Amino acid sequence: MSEPAFKVLAQLVRKLINYLRTMGDGRDKRISRSIVYAILTDDETDPRRRIRIWRNILKFFRLYGLTLVRLRPELFRKLRTETWGLSTDEYKSSFVDADSLVPKGDMGYSGSTFFTTTDNKYLLKSIPRQFEHSFFRDDLLEPYVTHMQTHPRSLLVRITDFLGWRYSSIGGILRLAPAYHLVMENLLHGQADDSNWQTFDLKPMSYFFPERDIAGGRLASQATKSKLADDFNDKLVLSREQADSFFQALEADTELLAKHNAVDYSLMLVRIPRDSSTPIQDDPFSDPPSWRTGVPSQDHKWLLRAVILDFFWAKHKVHAKAMTFLIKAWNLIDRKGPMSITTDAPEYRGRFLEMCREMVEIKENAVVGA
């Protein structure tokens, strides 16, 4: 096949895939049904384990309704029930049927798709990139579980389930439907539709970001640049006790991530105006006031929530190594320094902690209106 013909064919295939991704309103419903079925079904008692061969063949031709199962269910069940005090019945009550999930579309830079439960307690994120879900499954999962069991004040997002496909299918191979999903706590639980809550996805912005730094950002669309991390041009006004607790949790959590070679994670910060209605009792984990439920700022303006997200990019994976090679090659031409995904894990940890410290202003017994 000639090169021009190959390019035309490749364009047609890409257009077909994009069309199938967005075709009809049934796609999200089928994905939702697959997720909910996996969560509500105890895999070891699932009668479909003994399914006929011809049905397995039919599953291969599915576009959206992939057969998902829980991965390492015993670990997550133990976390939910023993560490976080969340009963199985209470957890499953958020996943009654396919209508329990609300699609949120593509909210991230990685191409992930998102759902929330209708009760706003859980966020579901797809993990489409193989090097990310394999890192979490094979390298980080057991250390993460141990860390969450021994660090009750951890700021790492609470992951309650990890879902993956049982059978290969055309939809998964062509990435028409995500084959891996994380279920995690939703830091925006309790938020009303008309609320004036503020959210920030924060990571060190002193790194090289090609979308922003090449040609002054003129080569990337505004939609692309909008998916980069946010700027936070304010201060978190905390007491010394609040700040110490915040920094101690950050130190312990980032030590775990650096030990396992993770970079490019971010701090999700939510600011809730103190004069707004904040139903803390809706927290599914029923913790006392904390950075997950709402810490009152010392200027009396905000309740503050924070978790560490997106700790799935590992420097030792092949994709990360390839990106590191490309950026080093680019720096031979134009010295821009490392990206947040190509730097070393200890170096990223240092800049991340510095960013968090610079956000904090310590003030005791602040006076309203001062």
Side-chain angles (χ1 to χ4, degrees):
M1 181 181 294
S2 66
E3 184 175 350
F6 178 80
K7 289 182 178 179
V8 171
L9 178 60
Q11 290 175 353
L12 289 174
V13 170
R14 284 195 294 268
K15 289 181 179 180
L16 176 61
I17 290 174
N18 289 334
Y19 170 74
L20 291 172
R21 280 176 174 168
T22 58
M23 183 181 64
D25 297 329
R27 175 183 180 272
D28 289 335
K29 182 70 69 176
R30 290 186 180 94
I31 295 174
S32 298
R33 187 179 296 115
S34 298
I35 293 171
V36 170
Y37 185 87
I39 292 174
L40 295 181
T41 301
D42 293 323
D43 192 50
E44 60 271 15
T45 62
D46 183 1
R48 287 174 24 164
R49 287 174 63 95
R50 298 179 295 277
I51 204 160
R52 292 187 178 92
I53 294 177
W54 67 269
R55 290 186 180 177
N56 292 347
I57 295 174
L58 290 178
K59 290 178 185 296
F60 177 77
F61 293 96
R62 288 185 174 181
L63 297 181
Y64 308 124
L66 279 59
T67 301
L68 302 174
V69 294
R70 286 170 158 176
L71 303 178
R72 302 299 300 272
E74 72 287 349
L75 284 182
F76 289 105
R77 186 182 300 114
K78 190 173 183 179
L79 264 184
R80 292 193 308 268
T81 59
E82 297 183 13
T83 303
W84 299 327
L86 180 63
S87 73
T88 298
D89 289 342
E90 181 183 359
Y91 177 57
K92 288 186 175 182
S93 69
S94 295
F95 303 91
V96 177
D97 51 39
D99 293 329
S100 301
L101 302 185
V102 180
K104 295 297 182 180
D106 179 2
M107 296 166 52
Y109 195 80
S110 65
S112 297
T113 56
F114 293 80
F115 293 85
T116 59
T117 53
T118 52
D119 59 14
N120 220 25
K121 292 181 179 181
Y122 299 98
L123 175 70
L124 295 92
K125 175 185 179 181
S126 69
I127 310 293
R129 300 188 291 201
Q130 190 274 338
F131 66 92
E132 289 185 313
H133 60 70
S134 65
F135 167 63
F136 181 62
R137 180 188 64 236
D138 301 335
D139 299 80
L140 191 60
L141 177 53
E142 292 191 8
Y144 167 83
V145 170
T146 300
H147 183 83
M148 299 304 273
Q149 290 170 333
T150 56
H151 293 76
R153 295 188 178 183
S154 172
L155 294 177
L156 297 179
V157 67
R158 291 186 172 181
I159 299 172
T160 58
D161 256 321
F162 182 31
L163 311 177
W165 60 353
R166 168 175 282 172
Y167 307 106
S168 295
S169 74
I170 291 177
I173 294 170
L174 296 180
R175 296 190 178 182
L176 302 177
Y180 291 88
H181 303 263
L182 290 173
V183 185
M184 61 189 99
E185 64 181 325
N186 183 11
L187 204 61
L188 296 176
H189 66 81
Q191 181 185 29
D193 292 338
D194 58 349
S195 76
N196 53 355
W197 295 16
Q198 299 177 1
T199 62
F200 304 87
D201 183 13
L202 304 173
K203 62 179 64 175
M205 294 303 287
S206 55
Y207 286 107
F208 167 45
F209 291 92
E211 304 87 348
R212 179 196 65 189
D213 299 329
I214 293 179
R218 292 187 297 274
L219 301 182
S221 67
Q222 189 58 43
T224 297
K225 289 183 287 188
S226 69
K227 294 181 181 180
L228 297 176
D230 300 318
D231 289 319
F232 182 69
N233 300 312
D234 203 349
K235 294 291 185 179
L236 306 180
V237 183
L238 306 177
S239 68
R240 169 58 65 182
E241 181 180 2
Q242 289 172 330
D244 287 346
S245 175
F246 184 51
F247 296 145
Q248 288 170 7
L250 288 170
E251 290 278 351
D253 293 338
T254 56
E255 181 181 13
L256 172 76
L257 298 179
K259 180 179 178 181
H260 291 86
N261 229 9
V263 296
D264 201 43
Y265 42 87
S266 61
L267 182 78
M268 182 180 179
L269 173 68
V270 178
R271 297 204 303 183
I272 306 169
R274 290 294 298 271
D275 58 355
S276 67
S277 175
T278 311
I280 300 299
Q281 68 273 12
D282 283 350
D283 174 29
F285 301 96
S286 302
D287 280 354
S290 68
W291 282 97
R292 295 182 44 267
T293 60
V295 169
S297 64
Q298 291 298 295
D299 57 5
H300 306 283
K301 295 180 180 179
W302 311 98
L303 284 175
L304 305 170
R305 294 178 179 175
V307 292
I308 298 175
L309 293 170
D310 296 336
F311 36 82
F312 308 115
W313 188 287
K315 279 299 300 295
H316 58 277
K317 292 294 183 178
V318 173
H319 188 87
K321 289 181 178 180
M323 287 296 299
T324 301
F325 174 81
L326 290 174
I327 294 305
K328 286 183 177 180
W330 177 266
N331 277 317
L332 295 176
I333 305 170
D334 187 6
R335 301 292 301 179
K336 293 290 187 179
M339 295 175 64
S340 59
I341 58 176
T342 64
T343 188
D344 294 329
E347 203 272 346
Y348 186 82
R349 180 192 183 216
R351 289 205 207 186
F352 182 84
L353 290 174
E354 181 181 7
M355 174 196 74
C356 294
R357 293 189 185 100
E358 290 177 349
M359 289 166 34
V360 171
E361 177 184 341
I362 297 175
K363 184 179 293 186
E364 300 288 355
N365 300 320
V367 177
V368 177

